[in-house]
Amino acid sequence: NENLVPDDFDPAMIADQLRSAGVLEAVRVSRVGFPQRYTHLQFVKRYGCLAPNATKTRSVRDVKKQCLGVVEKVATQIWKDENPSLPKGSGKLVVDPGDVGIQVGKTKVFLRQHAFEYLERYRSREIERNVIRIQAIARGYIHHREYRHALRALWRIQCMVRRMIG
């Protein structure tokens, strides 16, 4: 600040200083390359449903390992979807995540826009599939319960009719 008083901030002056130092431009350029960033834990929590085998261990120390497992799985899936002309069943495919727009850093996962959009679509489909599965199980349970109730009522009616006849 111009008064040189501690804890007195002028937002306009701060923005001007950042602009002059080139920090805002560096941030803008950085965001253009990899606009989506997640910590390893955030990434695993958000996209772990796409690779359930990679997230079986629940230890906090294994978060980076889980993250790498999820990244490997989704990178392979993205690559397969982008290259449909590949022969099927040609063994285990090893894909560099950088080729599909995913970079894993020491503490964060960086996603290019197309990789982020793919992951969100894939995640939405997976959630929708799981919701449908849960609904089917719930409906099956409800109908089975109603069927058992109707069956018991039928047995009672049959019992009464047999008593009346016998």
Side-chain angles (χ1 to χ4, degrees):
N1 61 35
E2 293 176 2
N3 301 331
L4 301 176
V5 178
D7 296 329
D8 182 22
F9 298 103
D10 180 14
M13 182 178 276
I14 292 172
D16 187 47
Q17 287 174 344
L18 290 174
R19 202 173 299 110
S20 298
V23 173
L24 293 180
E25 184 64 18
V27 169
R28 188 191 67 75
V29 168
S30 170
R31 289 282 179 191
V32 168
F34 291 95
Q36 303 298 325
R37 299 139 189 264
Y38 295 99
T39 65
H40 292 153
L41 184 60
Q42 289 171 330
F43 187 82
V44 169
K45 282 184 178 180
R46 184 156 186 87
Y47 299 112
C49 63
L50 304 178
N53 292 339
T55 59
K56 282 194 176 178
T57 59
R58 295 289 177 200
S59 172
V60 176
R61 285 180 276 159
D62 295 336
V63 170
K64 185 164 184 180
K65 186 177 178 183
Q66 291 175 4
C67 182
L68 290 170
V70 173
V71 166
E72 180 183 328
K73 170 89 165 84
V74 298
T76 303
Q77 188 62 42
I78 292 171
W79 202 78
K80 283 180 181 178
D81 287 353
E82 289 178 350
N83 300 292
S85 61
L86 293 173
K88 303 283 185 207
S90 58
K92 183 170 167 89
L93 184 63
V94 179
V95 177
D96 179 24
D99 293 342
V100 294
I102 302 173
Q103 289 289 322
V104 180
K106 287 184 179 181
T107 60
K108 289 189 177 183
V109 178
F110 302 91
L111 303 172
R112 290 200 188 275
Q113 191 62 34
H114 74 278
F116 171 72
E117 289 169 358
Y118 178 85
L119 284 174
E120 286 299 311
R121 271 195 315 274
Y122 190 33
R123 179 177 175 265
S124 294
R125 274 187 272 160
E126 191 66 27
I127 289 171
E128 184 178 331
R129 235 176 35 124
N130 289 332
V131 165
I132 291 169
R133 187 177 302 139
I134 290 168
Q135 288 174 342
I137 291 168
R139 287 185 184 122
Y141 171 77
I142 290 168
H143 289 296
H144 183 69
R145 191 178 64 191
E146 290 171 355
Y147 170 75
R148 298 291 291 172
H149 181 72
L151 198 58
R152 277 192 228 100
L154 180 65
W155 290 339
R156 284 190 207 112
I157 292 170
Q158 285 176 343
C159 188
M160 283 195 272
V161 168
R162 287 179 183 143
R163 282 184 195 156
M164 290 168 51
I165 292 175

